[in-house]
Amino acid sequence: MDVALYTHQDMLDHRPGEWHPERPERLRAVIDALDEATELDLEPRDAPLAELADLARVHDQAYLDSIFRITPVHDLHELDADTYMSAGSLVAARRAAGAPVQAVRDIAAGLAERAFCAVRPPGHHAEPNLPMGFCIFSNVAIAAKAAQAAGFHKVAVVDFDIHHGNGTQAAFAGREGLFFGSIHQWPMWPGTGHPSEWVPGNIVNAVSPMGAPPQVWRRAFEGLMEKVDEFAPDLILVSAGFDAHHRDPVGDGGQSLEEADFAWATRAIVSVANARAKGRVVSSLEGGYDLEALGLSALAHVRALADG
């Protein structure tokens, strides 16, 4: 199956610091890996700037006003201890949110069936009124609400980053027609997402212990996908974080996954999408900070999207 690839060079201009793990080279590593896979039939499309009206589907207006007022020229502006803005960050963050929004609209219009959004900064930690964990806008949550506005009645997000997508959970909690399923390490920052945590019925969290073998992670993921299947979405969005790779410095080796595990998980997502959602899947990049592991994992993920 053809996969539309949404990205933009402007996202390289988000520069949170030479020391920062969420660096421009991450996006280059993903694009280079995809470019080298000549057997993939990817359709490149520009990631547009997300409009204020779309950002406001998730974020409070006061929060958006505060972010848009920040205009660093030479120095970095610290949003929190992990999250910074440089001169190019606002445009990059708007394109990172605009990519999955455009992808869901293109799918609604019959212009695509599957998409991968190679974006940065990531988004799943950004809450409605709070930047967090490298994230400025809640990219996938915004896209899910745009998808509902485009006519999709039941939208599911599957998040397999090593960190819990607290921002997506906050945006989805109790919202009709939306489902959020996350698998992540526990214990792990940001400290949310344990299955014992009370959440509304449209939120399901699964965990894998630190140091668990891939089989444990896979069993937890299978249970998560059973819940997605029960929800019967007509569109699946993926928060595709690859920092559960055993080489990842931010994941600190807490999980022992390899590229094959991400491909396996993607095939499981595609299987549910084929059964419930006419095969429609939009995936958007979240974490992954070892450049080689990130490129190889993203490639395995996109190959599985295309093969299903």
Side-chain angles (χ1 to χ4, degrees):
M1 179 177 289
D2 292 349
V3 175
L5 172 64
Y6 295 79
T7 192
H8 200 285
Q9 291 289 306
D10 283 354
M11 287 183 276
L12 296 171
D13 292 329
H14 170 55
R15 300 180 181 276
E18 294 297 326
W19 51 271
H20 202 287
E22 208 294 280
R23 57 202 192 277
E25 289 79 5
R26 296 182 61 244
L27 185 57
R28 292 195 187 100
V30 170
I31 297 302
D32 287 349
L34 296 177
D35 284 345
E36 290 171 8
T38 55
E39 82 283 0
L40 280 175
D41 188 14
L42 301 178
E43 182 181 347
R45 301 183 185 183
D46 279 347
L49 295 166
E51 299 291 341
L52 268 171
D54 286 320
L55 299 175
R57 295 180 191 278
V58 166
H59 295 289
D60 298 342
Q61 188 61 48
Y63 174 70
L64 295 174
D65 291 343
S66 70
I67 293 295
F68 273 71
R69 281 197 299 267
I70 297 168
T71 55
V73 177
H74 302 294
D75 298 326
L76 292 174
H77 182 93
E78 180 179 321
L79 298 175
D80 73 5
D82 298 313
T83 314
Y84 295 79
M85 290 181 68
S86 66
S89 295
L90 179 57
V91 168
R94 288 182 66 188
R95 292 203 188 275
V101 168
Q102 188 62 49
V104 301
R105 287 180 174 149
D106 285 350
I107 288 176
L111 301 176
E113 290 185 34
R114 291 200 188 140
F116 178 66
C117 302
V119 302
R120 60 179 295 275
H124 70 153
H125 296 307
E127 298 201 352
N129 60 357
L130 190 70
M132 190 174 175
F134 312 165
C135 304
I136 298 172
F137 300 134
S138 192
N139 307 329
V140 169
I142 293 165
K145 293 195 174 183
Q148 287 188 303
F152 292 105
H153 299 294
K154 299 180 74 177
V155 181
V157 169
V158 178
D159 186 329
F160 55 68
D161 194 277
I162 198 172
H163 305 94
H164 179 238
N166 58 290
T168 311
Q169 177 171 295
F172 278 28
R175 302 281 184 171
E176 186 176 355
L178 295 174
F179 177 94
F180 177 61
S182 175
I183 182 169
H184 43 275
Q185 181 176 293
W186 183 272
M188 191 66 168
W189 184 93
T192 55
H194 192 270
S196 65
E197 173 187 336
W198 184 89
V199 290
N202 68 325
I203 307 292
V204 177
N205 289 308
V207 297
S208 181
M210 182 180 295
Q215 294 81 357
V216 170
W217 187 92
R218 287 192 181 203
R219 283 197 296 272
F221 191 82
E222 286 174 337
L224 184 67
M225 291 309 300
E226 288 175 3
K227 298 296 185 181
V228 178
D229 184 58
E230 289 172 9
F231 177 69
D234 48 15
L235 175 68
I236 297 179
L237 307 184
V238 183
S239 276
F242 302 104
D243 40 8
H245 195 283
H246 70 93
R247 289 175 43 183
D248 195 90
V250 174
D252 199 25
Q255 297 295 295
S256 52
L257 303 187
E258 298 184 357
E259 302 90 84
D261 297 297
F262 296 116
W264 172 88
T266 306
R267 289 192 294 271
I269 293 168
V270 165
S271 177
V272 173
N274 287 339
R276 298 292 195 179
K278 299 181 181 179
R280 297 176 293 212
V281 180
V282 173
S283 176
S284 191
L285 181 65
E286 299 284 358
Y289 304 95
D290 179 275
L291 298 183
E292 183 177 357
L294 172 61
L296 292 173
S297 297
L299 175 56
H301 173 62
V302 174
R303 277 180 171 149
L305 284 176
D307 289 345

